[in-house]
């Protein structure tokens, strides 16, 4: 018999959390018009209004650096590990985090690793980071999740594209959230969503993927309860992996057996950013957490349910607990600015950009300057990506 550990949290957790996204935004009404579809299929059917889009001089590294910079700009003390979660890898060998490490001037005594398991790997990184900090409480781990969700143009999955990054600083005695000690896990070898190395767009069996997601949720939550987890009515907030907002509603309905307007109100704070960014794969769950924290709907000691799902599939259900004074350490205003400052993209322009690929001929190519300040991908030369930090003039 496994001992009940309901309330317990690890002495470690999230000390800082910050979100970044692409600099452009596409209104899904424009996509609906082009595809001659009812826009309500996206806004009501999927729960999505916009998607963030990266310009040619942005990628997972530039978004990751923008997400992490506010957390480390005053101090990098204690950061001896950077874990980079992504499924939009830019190299088969080198960790994307090494470019971020340089852009952020992190110390040379900081190890850097990239992790992959579809959208789940950010949670794997969080778990590894927590275990590491428990063993070495004087150290901090910078976890970054960064992704660009891409499907074929004109596919049913296209309206669920998006892009974004989230940086999370894990420390002992965290200022924002402690991580619960119980977790429920469900893994199974399935082909619901995958991307062979030779493809730039994911292949997805859409309807099947939603079924496997919900099956995983039920079984991971069952495992969580069996291991001494909290009952549903103990949570003041819910974050489900959000490929599109409606999926989170279906997830809650699956756990509770019903969904009424009050439930939708409880779920909404975690969905606000997702409805306008689109799917951000590894970053999606933690962007949902930032959205919930920024909403002002939670208080100290409230518990938040977390469900992480990565196709293929691995899933995990666990909980977090808010630390008194957490509000002071959020990046809420910066998040609002970043969302509002995105530039509108026409659907025709978006289609052109969608077809574009980083040149593969090994020659020197400089990319059009779409980013006025912040981190940008300047170009490529000898098959190497060239990054720069553009300061505000
Ligand atoms: P679809 O063709 O849009 O599906 O594909 P649909 O025709 O069933 O429509 C969707 C909803 O819109 C339905 O509502 C319709 O009734 C409604 P529901 O029955 O589901 O409640 N609808 C309308 N509502 C209002 N007005 C209308 C209207 N028309 C229809 N006029 C699908 C949807 C999700 C399959 C597609 O977008 C897709 O393939 N997406 C990509 C896969 C995905 O996101 N799967 C989610 C689970 S897997 C996951 O989360 C992992 C992932 O993030 C990857 C990773 O782990 O790495 C994807």
């Amino acid at each position: 018999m496994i001992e009940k550990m309901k309330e317990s949290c690890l002495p470690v957790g999230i000390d800082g959390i910050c979100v970044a996204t692409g600099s452009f935004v596409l209104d899904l009404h424009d996509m609906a018009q082009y595809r001659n579809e009812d826009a309500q299929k996206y806004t009501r059917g999927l729960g999505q209004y916009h998607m963030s889009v990266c310009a040619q001089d942005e990628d997972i590294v530039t978004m990751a650096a923008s997400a992490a910079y506010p957390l480390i700009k005053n101090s990098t003390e204690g950061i001896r590990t950077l874990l980079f979660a992504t499924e939009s890898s830019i190299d088969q060998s080198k960790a994307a985090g090494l470019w971020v490490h340089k852009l952020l001037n992190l110390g040379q005594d900081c190890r850097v690793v990239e992790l992959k398991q579809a959208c789940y790997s950010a949670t794997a990184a969080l778990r590894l980071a927590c275990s590491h900090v428990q063993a070495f409480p004087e150290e901090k781990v910078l976890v970054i999740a960064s992704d660009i969700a891409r499907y074929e143009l004109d596919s049913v999955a296209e309206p669920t594209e998006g892009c974004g990054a989230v940086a999370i600083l894990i420390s002992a005695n965290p200022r924002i959230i402690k991580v619960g000690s119980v977790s429920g896990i469900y893994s199974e070898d399935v082909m619901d969503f995958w991307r062979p190395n030779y493809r730039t767009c994911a292949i997805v069996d859409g309807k099947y993927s939603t079924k496997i997601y919900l099956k995983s949720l039920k079984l991971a939550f069952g495992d969580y309860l069996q291991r001494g987890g909290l009952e549903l009515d103990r949570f003041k907030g819910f974050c489900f992996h959000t490929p599109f907002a409606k999926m989170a509603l279906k997830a809650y309905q699956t756990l509770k057996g019903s969904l009424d307007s009050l439930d939708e109100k409880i779920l909404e704070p975690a969905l606000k950013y997702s409805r306008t960014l689109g799917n951000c794969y590894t970053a999606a769950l933690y962007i949902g957490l930032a959205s919930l924290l920024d909403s002002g709907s939670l208080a100290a000691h409230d518990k938040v349910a977390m469900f992480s799902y990565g196709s293929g599939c691995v899933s995990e259900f666990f909980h977090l607990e808010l630390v008194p004074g957490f509000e002071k350490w959020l990046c809420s205003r910066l998040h609002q600015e970043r969302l509002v400052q995105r530039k509108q993209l026409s659907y025709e322009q978006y289609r052109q950009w969608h077809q574009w690929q980083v040149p593969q001929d090994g020659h020197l190519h400089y990319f059009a300057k779409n980013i006025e300040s912040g981190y940008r991908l300047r170009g490529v030369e000898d098959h190497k990506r060239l990054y720069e930090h553009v300061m505000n003039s």
Side-chain angles (χ1 to χ4, degrees), residues 147-160:
D147 264 308
I148 300 173
R150 272 170 69 95
Y151 299 99
E152 297 289 351
L153 288 174
D154 305 318
S155 65
V156 287
E158 187 193 4
T160 68

Side-chain angles (χ1 to χ4, degrees), residues 40 81 200 234 274 282 380:
Q40 291 203 2
T81 307
T200 55
R234 296 294 311 283
S274 157
T282 50
V380 282

Side-chain angles (χ1 to χ4, degrees), residues 85-86 118-127 143-145 166 282-283 286 308:
T86 189
C119 301
Y120 171 74
S121 64
T123 299
L126 179 101
R127 282 278 163 216
V143 171
I144 308 180
V166 62
T282 50
Y286 298 93
S308 179

Side-chain angles (χ1 to χ4, degrees), residues 38 40-41 44-46 87 118-119 151 156-157 160 192-193 204 206-207 209-210 213 241 243-244 246-247 250 279 281 309-311:
D38 181 355
Q40 291 203 2
K41 179 172 181 192
R44 285 180 172 215
L46 299 173
E87 54 177 305
C119 301
Y151 299 99
V156 287
T160 68
D192 60 330
F193 167 108
V204 61
K207 296 269 160 60
S209 73
T210 61
Y213 174 115
H241 167 59
F244 51 92
K246 180 75 144 320
M247 194 72 228
K250 285 181 194 240
N279 195 352
Y281 290 163
Y309 176 79
S311 284

